[in-house]
Amino acid sequence: MSVNDTGVESERIGLRVTQDDREVRSSFLTPKTKKEQEEELQNKPRTANDVALEDIAETASRLGIDTSNTAPKPRPIPKRIDVASVDPFQAWIGSVGAGVMFVVFWSILNYLMKYYEVHPDPFESSVYVVQRISAVMRTVLLTVFSLMSGITGITTGGLFILGIKSMSARYSIKSESHIESKPENK
C-alpha cells in the first residue's frame, strides 16, 4: 500500500489513474494487464452480428445441421454502363413524364395548403379526438404530397441531365471517330 500526499492509502480506496498510450484511464477497479485485455477481447464478441452468428452456430450444432459448407456469397460486381449507350430521347421522354407528375403533385400540394389555410379545422368539431385526427391527417397529406413532388422534381432534373450527358457523350464519340477517319496530309 502506498500513501499519497494527503495521507490516504490509494489502494484502500481502490482508485487508479493511469496514462497509457495517451489515454487517461481511471476506475475504481484494479487496471487489467495487457494480457488480460487481449484475452477479454478474444473471448467477447465485438458486434451484434458476431453474437447472432454464434447463436446460429450453436442452434445448428444442437439440431445437427452441418454449416461448414456454407460460404458467404460474394458481392455482385456492378456493371459499368456507358453513358453513350443511353438513348437521350428516352431519357428526355422520361423527364417529361416525371415533370408532368411533378406538376400534378405540386398542384395538389398547393391546393391542400390553401385549403388548410382557410379551413384549419375542416370538421369544425369540438371533440378533442376529432381535432387531433384531422391535424394528423393534414400533416400526413401535406407530407406525402410534398415528398412525392420533391422526388418527381429531382427525377425530372436527373433524367433531363442524363439526356444531355448522353447526347454529349454520343457527339464526342462521333467527333473522335470522324477525326480518326480523316487521312493525314504529309
Side-chain angles (χ1 to χ4, degrees), residues 30 42 63 66 70 76 79 95 105 137 144 164 174 182:
T30 53
Q42 289 175 355
L63 296 174
D66 182 27
T70 58
K79 288 195 317 185
S95 176
F105 290 140
M137 289 309 298
V144 165
I164 292 173
K174 287 181 182 177
K182 283 186 178 179

Side-chain angles (χ1 to χ4, degrees), residues 88 90-96 98 154-164:
Q90 286 184 351
W92 288 331
I93 289 170
S95 176
V96 168
I154 296 291
T155 303
T156 300
L159 285 172
F160 185 76
I161 292 170
L162 175 65
I164 292 173

